[in-house]
Amino acid sequence: MLIVMKFGGTSVGSAERIAQAAQLAADSAAQGHQVVVVTSAMSKVTDSLIAAARQASAGHWDPAIRQQLYDRHKAVADAVIGGDPVRHAAVLEALSQRLDRFEKLCFGLSMVHELTPRLLDAISGTGEMLTAPLLSAAIAAKGRASQPVDATDLIVTTDQFGGAEPLMDETRSKTQARLQAVLANGEVPVVTGFIAATRDGVLTTLGRGGSDYSASIIGAALDADEVWIWTDVDGVMTANPSEVPEARTLAEISYSEASELAYYGAKVLHYKTILPAFRQRIPVRILNSFNPKHPGTRVSVEGDPSLAGVKAVTSIRGVILVAISGTGMQGIPGIAAKAFDVVAAQQANILMISQASSENNICFVISAAEAPGVVTALRSALEMELMRGHIEEIGAEPVAIVAAVGDRMRGTPGIAATVFTALGTEGINVIAISQGSSERNISMVVREPDAAAAVRAIHRAFHLGS
Ligand code: ADP
Ligand code: ASP
Ligand code: MG
């Protein structure tokens, strides 16, 4: 089998974790599989790179940050490959070069004070460029030939910095050209997650948490047999285990369930991960690098059709409900069209839409970062309607979305009733509701402080913990 395996931040977060990740990759290779590794940055590194970039753009560049990053990665090199002076020296050299580049970028930024999305990508992508040589050397230390590969040589994207999209045809030919010979040689390539490059070679990133997406893009480009996401929990669970302690691992879910869950806040998978794998029907597994004997979750076409009803509950915090309302909106055509044109022009991503049947209110949910721009643009595009009193208000309110997801909610009566009874019993007010026509998701807007209780109430009502 050709397996693309991705290790998340906690799975490469220390010397011990990197040794374990290297062991898992080497074991699969020893079983006769072709293995491509995709690595995240060590846990918290991307956050500190972004913080450093922001500080630098405010004129404060603190060289101690470079030293801290060097020390943390060098400590891993000492522990994991200290016994091999040649390899150790080569890794330290790679770390220094990559941190020199980071330092120069930050220093430049502290002079020009302008943090563009392009520059932020160039800086925030450094973390993966530090782990790839380390993890590759750790695999070699386990006796399996390996080489680090920068994904800038594999994945070609658009220039939407901070959330670039792969151009699959070009990515396919570049990835195959670069990796096939390495694999044929029995080597394990260790690819930087998260980063990619435009056609002109300018570094881009796929968005926060995007290393999962890198793995499925590379899996699709290589026609891999499976994509494995190694993380710090036993798979995709019925709810976020840090919020719902009784959450259980789901043995099997469908591509559509996985996409819905990821889209509605299950951080365990980046929300774009499923699509490239789904297009080619490549099975995806979510596995625990801290508990590798656990079979984890398998994402497949069928999912587990024996499980009816709601399979899992998720939430997205920190989002904004934009509501356009007014009794005069009734019967005035085109307000919704105008509003959604504005949102599209702002390139904002709508997470959920709901319109009351009275037509007095159209509301939708977008991310907090996008809200100010969208609201300003709406007020200007709908100025006439506001002046004439057809629209009374364009409001923006911080909220959370809670979603109940399951393929077989479709055709199972009484699900909505159970959801709303559960919330009602807890005294949780539902601000807006939406159920897609696919019927595999009911989402509700609630006040942010109610989100955790809402997730727990729905989880309990469907007995998902037992
Ligand atoms: P990685 O660093 O491996 O990419 P992430 O932190 O991005 O890991 O994702 C794993 C985390 O996702 C888990 O530790 C858990 O807290 C969170 N999570 C949220 N919802 C779910 C869910 N439904 N199932 C499993 N984990 C979830
Ligand atoms: N290191 C990146 C991040 O923290 C990508 C990832 O870990 O998936 O967002
Ligand atoms: Mg992640």
Side-chain angles (χ1 to χ4, degrees), residues 59-133:
H60 314 295
W61 163 243
D62 178 4
I65 298 167
R66 181 196 197 280
Q67 193 60 43
Q68 283 157 15
L69 287 166
Y70 183 77
D71 292 346
R72 182 166 172 205
H73 290 83
K74 178 177 181 294
V76 176
D78 293 349
V80 179
I81 44 172
D84 180 341
V86 175
R87 204 168 269 144
H88 184 253
V91 167
L92 294 193
E93 177 57 27
L95 294 178
S96 293
Q97 271 178 16
R98 286 156 184 234
L99 286 166
D100 282 348
R101 172 185 163 280
F102 161 70
E103 183 165 17
K104 282 186 190 132
L105 287 168
C106 286
F107 187 72
L109 187 53
S110 71
M111 309 303 261
V112 298
H113 295 221
E114 195 196 352
L115 182 53
T116 60
R118 171 175 169 159
L119 195 44
L120 184 59
D121 276 3
I123 293 173
S124 66
T126 306
E128 279 70 11
M129 291 159 60
L130 300 174
T131 30

Side-chain angles (χ1 to χ4, degrees), residues 150-347:
D150 282 335
T152 46
D153 294 337
L154 309 180
I155 303 180
V156 185
T157 66
T158 60
D159 63 358
Q160 283 158 283
F161 297 102
E165 280 300 335
L167 304 171
M168 276 317 284
D169 290 341
E170 287 153 73
T171 297
R172 207 177 161 77
S173 44
K174 276 193 117 169
T175 303
Q176 291 190 356
R178 176 73 177 84
L179 296 188
Q180 265 167 354
V182 180
L183 289 167
N185 224 2
E187 281 186 70
V188 175
V190 178
V191 181
T192 52
F194 187 46
I195 63 171
T198 63
R199 282 189 184 126
D200 302 331
V202 179
L203 193 146
T204 55
T205 69
L206 304 175
R208 291 308 306 272
S211 296
D212 301 329
Y213 193 27
S214 307
S216 72
I217 293 169
I218 290 168
L222 291 174
D223 298 316
D225 294 290
E226 295 204 356
V227 172
W228 293 5
I229 307 290
W230 288 103
T231 184
D232 58 1
V233 286
D234 286 339
V236 177
M237 306 179 71
T238 51
N240 184 347
S242 51
E243 191 163 271
V244 182
E246 65 274 21
R248 277 181 316 108
T249 301
L250 293 159
E252 186 147 359
I253 57 175
S254 69
Y255 290 108
S256 46
E257 287 170 331
S259 308
E260 295 274 333
L261 288 169
Y263 194 75
Y264 284 97
K267 185 187 170 218
V268 63
L269 276 183
H270 183 268
Y271 74 101
K272 292 179 183 167
T273 309
I274 291 302
L275 192 60
F278 169 70
R279 284 201 196 106
Q280 288 168 236
R281 306 294 188 268
I282 303 171
V284 176
R285 285 179 199 277
I286 295 89
L287 297 159
N288 190 350
S289 74
F290 292 75
N291 184 18
K293 293 219 164 67
H294 193 288
T297 300
R298 187 180 136 92
V299 184
S300 63
V301 176
E302 318 76 41
D304 180 355
S306 70
L307 284 180
V310 172
K311 271 197 186 165
V313 194
T314 56
S315 67
I316 318 182
R317 313 294 174 81
V319 289
I320 302 290
L321 178 75
V322 178
I324 305 171
S325 50
T327 40
M329 276 166 66
Q330 207 152 344
I332 308 268
I335 291 185
K338 259 194 196 169
F340 292 122
D341 277 350
V342 167
V343 181
Q346 294 284 312
Q347 300 200 331

Side-chain angles (χ1 to χ4, degrees), residues 44-65:
K44 309 257 165 39
V45 165
T46 310
D47 290 341
S48 31
L49 294 167
I50 293 172
R54 294 204 194 289
Q55 276 176 29
S57 72
H60 314 295
W61 163 243
D62 178 4
I65 298 167

Side-chain angles (χ1 to χ4, degrees), residues 434-456:
S434 148
Q435 170 174 326
S437 58
S438 70
E439 286 187 50
R440 57 170 67 96
N441 174 340
I442 300 179
S443 11
M444 287 134 294
V445 176
V446 298
R447 286 188 334 121
E448 181 134 36
D450 289 338
V455 169
R456 283 196 284 268

